[in-house]
Amino acid sequence: MQLIDGKATAAQIKAEIAEEVQKIVAAGGKRPHLAAILVGHDGGSETYVRNKVLACEACGFKSTLLRFEDTISETELLNEVDKLNKDEDVDGFIVQLPLPKHISEQKVIEAIDYRKDVDGFHPINVGRMAIGLPCYISATPKGILELLRRYNIETSGKKCVILGRSNIVGKPMAQLMMQKQYGDATVTVCHSRSRDLKKECREADIIIAAIGQPDFVTADMVKDGVTVIDVGTTRVPDATKKSGFRLNGDVKFDEVAPKCAYITPVPGGVGPMTICMLMKNTLSAGKKEFYQ
Ligand code: BQF
């Protein structure tokens, strides 16, 4: 069993990005600038946005954090999005999800200029990704592809089972894993209504677990020699931690790991790569790599 070290891989990629930024700036180019909108005080969201700001510093990017109370109206938030669309210094920006219930996430996502949509959530980027055109690709699936590539894990022609069908992970992951230029795999998407999920998983060469249920994948569900990618990051109470909680993956790591060829840990697996791929997208935005 080989552990896939997402934290170390992300650190290496951030160093590569920092080196490129240095060269761009030395040549008189513009330092990439990422802005983030954070609404409310959700503990998870606060942590994720802090991770993003720190990663910007590591990469030599400029970052701007815009904070609003969860009493902000949808109209006001859409207006803030429009201001960032028009701000010529901002290369890319994100709106941290989830948003309060009185605000339509879809409306907000569609208000973002797709040329600054470094999360890759706008329908134009989603559509371009689905047909294999250059675009911002959602950070978590992009990070998983990068891990598979850097660890030389063969995906072409393999059976890949994806657990979960979210717009952020499951759906784009399935799209990318099936495409010849990315995964080139045979893809099965399983979800809460799937009839024989255990049988599907037992036939998989690669399992990507993104259902958000702690310890969902158990040893009896996987075959020997499988590669397991754990996208789960549920916060569960843990009195032994000074924060009072720990991150728990979708995979029962201790019993599944011995059967694996490769497996990602939680924390330190997919999570750091998600942050890192947001940085890669921001670098692309700074370079106007995909659009205009
Ligand atoms: C790690 C996220 C659910 C909903 C919205 C490093 C992150 C997590 C874990 C992180 C996530 C999860 C992010 C680790 C960003 C990943 O060391 O294992 C980093 O910051 N993430 C997000 O922005 O929104 C979410 C999960």
Side-chain angles (χ1 to χ4, degrees):
M1 186 272 289
Q2 200 187 334
L3 203 60
I4 299 177
D5 191 339
K7 195 173 174 185
T9 306
Q12 193 184 326
I13 295 171
K14 281 184 282 185
E16 292 164 14
I17 294 172
E19 203 174 316
E20 192 172 342
V21 169
Q22 226 168 21
K23 283 182 189 148
I24 290 169
V25 174
K30 183 183 176 298
R31 189 178 292 282
H33 181 185
L34 175 70
I37 292 179
L38 173 57
V39 179
H41 299 272
D42 172 74
S45 294
E46 298 256 6
T47 305
Y48 301 146
V49 167
R50 178 159 19 94
N51 291 343
K52 292 167 191 182
V53 170
L54 290 172
C56 281
E57 284 166 24
C59 293
F61 296 168
K62 180 177 174 185
S63 69
T64 301
L65 173 56
L66 300 167
R67 301 199 57 142
F68 302 97
E69 292 303 318
D70 52 21
T71 49
I72 189 173
S73 70
E74 186 180 86
T75 309
E76 287 169 313
L77 185 59
L78 291 171
N79 186 49
E80 295 298 332
V81 166
D82 204 47
K83 280 200 255 172
L84 290 175
N85 284 341
K86 289 173 176 148
D87 186 335
E88 291 204 3
D89 194 60
V90 171
D91 298 296
F93 67 97
I94 64 156
V95 178
Q96 182 64 41
L97 302 181
L99 290 170
K101 282 195 286 290
H102 66 277
I103 299 174
S104 158
E105 288 184 354
Q106 202 50 39
K107 245 189 193 174
V108 172
I109 288 167
E110 290 188 41
I112 298 171
D113 185 331
Y114 68 93
R115 294 165 298 186
K116 294 190 178 189
D117 169 39
V118 286
D119 262 340
F121 296 163
H122 191 283
I124 289 178
N125 284 309
V126 175
R128 290 179 64 94
M129 181 273 294
I131 55 177
L133 295 175
C135 64
Y136 297 112
I137 292 173
S138 159
T140 301
K142 188 174 165 119
I144 292 168
L145 289 176
E146 191 68 29
L147 281 178
L148 294 169
R149 180 160 48 229
R150 292 203 179 217
Y151 277 81
N152 293 311
I153 296 165
E154 184 63 76
T155 57
S156 184
K158 302 292 182 189
K159 280 189 178 239
C160 176
V161 165
I162 294 162
L163 302 178
R165 53 180 158 181
S166 71
N167 290 341
I168 310 291
V169 185
K171 255 184 261 178
M173 195 72 241
Q175 283 287 355
L176 294 164
M177 281 305 283
M178 81 164 79
Q179 283 181 45
K180 193 180 179 91
Q181 62 169 324
Y182 297 108
D184 199 25
T186 303
V187 178
T188 303
V189 179
C190 294
H191 49 79
S192 52
R193 289 278 167 262
S194 295
R195 192 153 42 82
D196 207 344
L197 191 142
K198 178 171 162 179
K199 176 173 169 286
E200 299 289 354
C201 287
R202 286 192 65 90
E203 290 170 359
D205 302 303
I206 301 166
I207 296 175
I208 300 174
I211 35 181
Q213 278 198 52
D215 297 340
F216 182 87
V217 178
T218 48
D220 58 311
M221 291 168 68
V222 310
K223 72 175 181 187
D224 276 309
V226 68
T227 290
V228 173
I229 307 293
D230 190 348
V231 186
T233 53
T234 307
R235 289 171 138 217
V236 301
D238 184 339
T240 72
K241 292 283 190 304
K242 73 170 183 278
S243 60
F245 65 87
R246 67 185 153 82
L247 287 185
N248 200 116
D250 289 350
V251 179
K252 205 164 190 180
F253 185 90
D254 290 351
E255 62 172 61
V256 172
K259 300 183 78 174
C260 294
Y262 295 90
I263 186 168
T264 62
V266 175
V270 173
M273 290 299 290
T274 296
I275 303 298
C276 183
M277 291 301 109
L278 174 64
M279 300 300 118
K280 257 214 145 149
N281 282 344
T282 303
L283 179 62
S284 297
K287 296 199 287 188
K288 306 264 178 282
E289 199 167 287
F290 304 129
Y291 305 115
Q292 208 204 84

